[in-house]
Amino acid sequence: MKFVQVLLLILAGVSLSSQAAIVKHTVNSSKTIHMKDMTLQVFSGEFYFEFDPNNAVNKEIVDIELAIPNAEGMVSAKANYFIIQPKNPKDRRGAIVEVSNRGGKSALSYFNLAPRVAMPDKSAALGDGLIQELGLSLVWVGWQGDVPHKDDLMYAELPRIIDLEGWVRSDWTVDNNKSLLTLAHRDNIETIYPVDFATQDEAWLTKRMGRDSLRAIVPRNQWQFSSDGKSIVGDFSPGIYELVYPARDPQVAGIGLAIIRDTAAYIKEESNPFYVPKAIAYGVSQTGRFLRHFLHQGFNETEDGIIAYDGMFIHTAGAGRGSFNHRFAQPSRDAHRMSAFFYPTDVFPFTSQRIRSDITNQKIGLLKRNHEPFYPKIFYTNTGYEYWGRAAGLTHSHKVFDMAPLENERIFHLASAQHFVESTNNIKLVDKDNLIFRGNNLNFKPHLRSLLSHLSEWVIADRKPPKSKYPRFADQTLTNYAHFQLPNWLGVEKPFKPHTAYEIDYGKNWHKGVIDNHPPVLLAEILPPVPKLDNNGHELGGISHPLLKAPIATFMPWVLRYDKFSSNEIEDFRGAIKQWKKKRILSRYANKRAYMTHLNKMILKSLAEGWILARDVSRIKQQGSWLWDWSMLQKDPVYEEEDDKKRKLLDD
């Protein structure tokens, strides 16, 4: 009866608690769906937040004291939410709170192998139901203030500091001639800081031809701001452009961190219909970095002094944090070798253990030493790309020394995979002589599904998970970049550099969350170590996919910018496949049947080691079958007649 009464109050938009940070909760839609033998509820609506600017844990929110308070002296914000939960509260062992990457929803795709849909309110959108079978609710809540307000995106309405002026930086990597460049980081992100036209003449634009090249001023008569102040117009040829311009009215971006914190606290209250006993935060890429930032600034302690998240699944964050809590912050900005340069992303410290800075002489770590009671149980997962494109090696090393994770942490390296699983249709030949294809479709999702099962049992039942598995100097699976070598037979040159991290100076007020140096001053470049390779060109030291244990092609976690300027740099996010010649493959396996027999043995080994689930065995076999067929269809004079027959069969 109590459950029904509370739900009715929520549907009416009635305040539930004068003490909670979520002070009101509305439901815009609700429905019941059925999947297998489970009955699920799907809700969408809005959370209304109030934050006490005088509470000690909120002091970390930059500029919260400058926001206009309500009559009770609290700072208000609003965010939409989307929740999928078992209807019976007894079936809810916990919840995954996904920190939405630029408003999207990825958990169902990664963990349930579901199709990507914006509104997963039907059983067909839930994939094979692994999350639900683990007894986990799924919660999405908006936190990012520059995501467009659309029904299919998760967004937040954050307070602004009216009439406060400052400087904003935007940059672009232009590979083909363009006439318009938007100030926002991505097309799906709103320009929340248009130029202040009153002082627009103080803006300046530079161009350079490489990441570390000297900047040259672009004369003011060669470009101008658009009429809405959200873009610049001109003739922009290939190169790296960087704009510094005046703006006003910054959002209090750090409230996004508090929104994620207080959502966990709220759903763990027994007095609401979304109650769960445990909460696991999940972030991927941008929002994996968000969670590292969240931990570094101590946000896992709530206003009431309790732990917010009991566990965290931090995927493809590498060593990064981000632009999540400073004045004029742009949360979408990331950092790669050839895009979004020198934002507060890959900055010291990197390891959870404390390390002394060579620049400041301070000894600090990612986690605050006085916050041990609020440490969640954490899985960090990084693909091979993050070692090259997000300095992931720095999360467990310092100079030439290994740095072990803390007791509450596990680190897993998904060897030789790229940042995301490439669609087979997107694989493109970029080096005909060496048979290099842009796009790496090594499917690491089976590993993530197994790891989620391990993490949920660790958080909910305190069952110890597998030990960390990542490359180390000690066992010679990790190496400094200068000593990194590719097998000669691959026919590929190594990149100019992996993505580097920095000791960086944003100005005298950076400790207050204010950037004075635009662009910042680079004090020291930190070159991360990278995994060593075996003779097949695959990374050592991590979780090896069965397709790496039964190799007939080389999966590479990075790919060069073959058809772009700075072609010796790596491309953002993507890897490559080196297609083996048939002679090499057939010297190992007499035919497809022999290959599939060996692959099956490697799959069963991974299953026994706990890196995959039994339900994913057939999927890995299917990808192995595809890889064999794809490898055998290449042009080769010895097998050309056989190729033509196979192509005709496929066409038919």
Side-chain angles (χ1 to χ4, degrees):
M1 184 64 180
K2 181 179 179 181
F3 175 87
V4 175
Q5 289 174 335
V6 173
L7 180 57
L8 289 174
L9 287 173
I10 291 174
L11 288 169
V14 175
S15 176
L16 294 180
S17 170
S18 60
Q19 301 300 315
I22 295 179
V23 296
K24 193 171 72 169
H25 173 171
T26 62
V27 174
N28 298 335
S29 67
S30 64
K31 65 188 299 186
T32 300
I33 60 177
H34 301 279
M35 185 183 66
K36 299 179 181 179
D37 58 349
M38 291 179 283
T39 302
L40 305 171
Q41 295 172 312
V42 182
F43 295 98
S44 66
E46 292 175 318
F47 288 148
Y48 293 78
F49 297 83
E50 289 186 355
F51 305 99
D52 182 357
N54 296 312
N55 190 292
V57 299
N58 291 333
K59 295 291 187 180
E60 288 284 355
I61 302 173
V62 173
D63 287 340
I64 190 171
E65 75 282 0
L66 300 180
I68 299 174
N70 61 19
E72 288 75 37
M74 310 291 273
V75 176
S76 302
K78 182 173 71 171
N80 65 341
Y81 70 84
F82 193 93
I83 296 175
I84 304 171
Q85 66 180 18
K87 184 175 182 179
N88 187 344
K90 294 180 180 179
D91 293 334
R92 301 179 208 152
R93 303 175 69 214
I96 295 176
V97 178
E98 177 177 351
V99 188
S100 297
N101 184 317
R102 300 174 178 89
K105 304 178 182 74
S106 70
L108 288 169
S109 172
Y110 275 101
F111 299 123
N112 278 21
L113 304 180
R116 288 256 185 166
V117 295
M119 298 292 285
D121 58 354
K122 299 179 176 62
S123 59
L126 303 185
D128 74 346
L130 175 65
I131 292 171
Q132 288 71 32
E133 291 174 23
L134 293 172
L136 300 174
S137 299
L138 256 176
V139 178
W140 292 272
V141 61
W143 63 273
Q144 189 173 340
D146 54 359
V147 171
H149 290 200
K150 297 180 180 179
D151 291 341
D152 58 346
L153 294 176
M154 310 311 301
Y155 57 84
E157 294 183 11
L158 306 179
R160 288 181 178 269
I161 312 300
I162 304 302
D163 292 332
L164 183 63
E165 300 175 345
W167 294 89
V168 180
R169 186 167 61 92
S170 294
D171 59 14
W172 306 265
T173 298
V174 176
D175 288 313
N176 300 294
N177 292 343
K178 291 188 176 183
S179 59
L180 185 143
L181 301 173
T182 178
L183 302 187
H185 178 223
R186 293 170 180 260
D187 293 339
N188 64 331
I189 296 298
E190 292 184 336
T191 305
I192 55 172
Y193 304 129
V195 66
D196 183 355
F197 279 111
T199 53
Q200 65 166 308
D201 290 342
E202 298 179 26
W204 71 89
L205 180 70
T206 63
K207 180 182 180 181
R208 62 189 190 274
M209 293 309 297
R211 177 185 178 88
D212 303 316
S213 301
L214 293 176
R215 297 169 171 85
I217 292 289
V218 180
R220 192 65 172 81
N221 61 5
Q222 294 183 12
W223 64 276
Q224 62 184 357
F225 288 100
S226 59
S227 59
D228 62 3
K230 296 182 178 182
S231 304
I232 58 173
V233 181
D235 293 324
F236 305 114
S237 58
I240 298 170
Y241 292 84
E242 184 175 64
L243 174 72
V244 179
Y245 67 95
R248 60 193 306 122
D249 306 340
Q251 286 187 345
V252 186
I255 281 179
L257 294 156
I259 284 174
I260 295 300
R261 175 195 70 195
D262 293 337
T263 296
Y266 182 65
I267 63 175
K268 289 165 70 174
E269 293 179 1
E270 294 188 37
S271 60
N272 75 72
F274 303 137
Y275 169 70
V276 291
K278 301 286 185 179
I280 299 171
Y282 161 66
V284 55
S285 192
Q286 176 213 28
T287 53
R289 292 185 291 104
F290 175 101
L291 290 176
R292 282 174 56 85
H293 201 116
F294 182 98
L295 290 168
H296 182 58
Q297 294 197 321
F299 277 91
N300 210 39
E301 179 185 0
T302 71
E303 290 184 1
D304 295 328
I306 63 173
I307 188 170
Y309 289 96
D310 307 281
M312 287 190 177
F313 199 118
I314 299 177
H315 181 55
T316 59
R321 299 199 301 279
S323 303
F324 305 122
N325 189 21
H326 62 82
R327 187 175 296 174
F328 289 105
Q330 301 175 77
S332 182
R333 297 284 178 184
D334 45 23
H336 297 272
R337 277 302 296 173
M338 289 303 293
S339 68
F341 305 91
F342 314 129
Y343 294 92
T345 301
D346 304 294
V347 293
F348 186 86
F350 312 106
T351 64
S352 292
Q353 292 194 42
R354 295 194 303 164
I355 292 175
R356 192 174 302 280
S357 164
D358 291 336
I359 303 299
T360 67
N361 204 37
Q362 288 182 303
K363 193 173 183 181
I364 56 175
L366 183 75
L367 298 184
K368 291 188 173 182
R369 262 209 173 311
N370 61 347
H371 271 64
E372 278 91 342
F374 305 100
Y375 290 176
K377 296 171 178 175
I378 308 170
F379 275 15
Y380 295 101
T381 55
N382 287 296
T383 70
Y385 174 83
E386 280 72 55
Y387 281 81
W388 287 89
R390 180 65 70 222
L394 296 178
T395 65
H396 52 74
S397 70
H398 178 57
K399 297 182 179 178
V400 295
F401 303 101
D402 295 316
M403 303 294 294
L406 302 181
E407 290 184 5
N408 63 300
E409 299 174 315
R410 296 291 188 275
I411 298 175
F412 301 104
H413 163 222
L414 307 177
S416 293
Q418 73 172 34
H419 188 70
F420 60 93
V421 180
E422 189 75 69
S423 167
T424 301
N425 296 331
N426 289 338
I427 295 172
K428 178 184 177 183
L429 182 64
V430 290
D431 183 346
K432 185 177 180 181
D433 293 336
N434 293 298
L435 297 176
I436 303 295
F437 289 76
R438 175 189 288 130
N440 177 341
N441 65 340
L442 186 68
N443 189 354
F444 55 76
K445 291 181 182 180
H447 297 318
L448 295 188
R449 283 155 58 82
S450 178
L451 291 172
L452 177 65
S453 301
H454 289 306
L455 177 62
S456 64
E457 289 305 308
W458 192 21
V459 170
I460 295 169
D462 202 26
R463 186 176 301 159
K464 287 289 185 182
K467 294 180 180 179
S468 296
K469 195 168 180 61
Y470 58 89
R472 296 172 170 88
F473 285 116
D475 60 13
Q476 299 187 44
T477 54
L478 190 70
T479 184
N480 288 325
Y481 173 73
H483 299 140
F484 173 80
Q485 292 182 320
L486 289 160
N488 290 332
W489 65 269
L490 283 178
V492 181
E493 294 292 328
K494 71 178 184 180
F496 175 63
K497 281 182 184 178
H499 182 63
T500 49
Y502 297 93
E503 293 266 20
I504 201 162
D505 181 9
Y506 290 102
K508 63 182 180 180
N509 292 304
W510 178 236
H511 67 286
K512 301 176 184 177
V514 179
I515 295 178
D516 295 311
N517 293 342
H518 289 285
V521 178
L522 306 182
L523 303 177
E525 183 183 54
I526 304 170
L527 200 63
V530 293
K532 283 188 174 182
L533 305 182
D534 64 18
N535 292 332
N536 297 310
H538 291 138
E539 292 182 325
L540 297 169
I543 300 173
S544 290
H545 192 283
L547 291 182
L548 306 185
K549 296 178 180 179
I552 55 173
T554 297
F555 291 93
M556 300 168 58
W558 51 265
V559 65
L560 297 176
R561 290 164 49 88
Y562 281 94
D563 48 3
K564 303 176 176 69
F565 84 98
S566 291
S567 58
N568 61 344
E569 294 276 11
I570 61 172
E571 184 170 321
D572 295 353
F573 301 117
R574 280 192 159 82
I577 301 177
K578 160 77 173 184
Q579 193 177 55
W580 288 9
K581 293 185 176 180
K582 292 180 185 178
K583 182 178 180 181
R584 183 182 182 91
I585 298 171
L586 294 173
S587 69
R588 298 189 177 206
Y589 306 102
N591 49 41
K592 183 176 182 178
R593 181 177 179 180
Y595 166 68
M596 293 301 295
T597 298
H598 181 61
L599 176 61
N600 188 56
K601 291 179 181 178
M602 298 301 100
I603 293 172
L604 294 178
K605 184 177 180 181
S606 290
L607 178 63
E609 293 172 345
W611 301 128
I612 63 173
L613 302 174
R615 63 204 295 170
D616 289 329
V617 166
S618 62
R619 293 186 177 92
I620 299 173
K621 288 181 180 179
Q622 288 172 5
Q623 187 170 25
S625 178
W626 169 87
L627 186 61
W628 178 275
D629 293 341
W630 178 76
S631 300
M632 290 296 115
L633 288 179
Q634 63 184 280
K635 283 287 185 181
D636 187 319
V638 178
Y639 300 97
E640 205 164 292
E641 183 178 344
E642 182 182 347
D643 286 350
D644 291 340
K645 292 178 182 177
K646 288 181 178 179
R647 288 191 183 89
K648 188 175 187 304
L649 287 173
L650 289 174
D651 291 341
D652 292 342

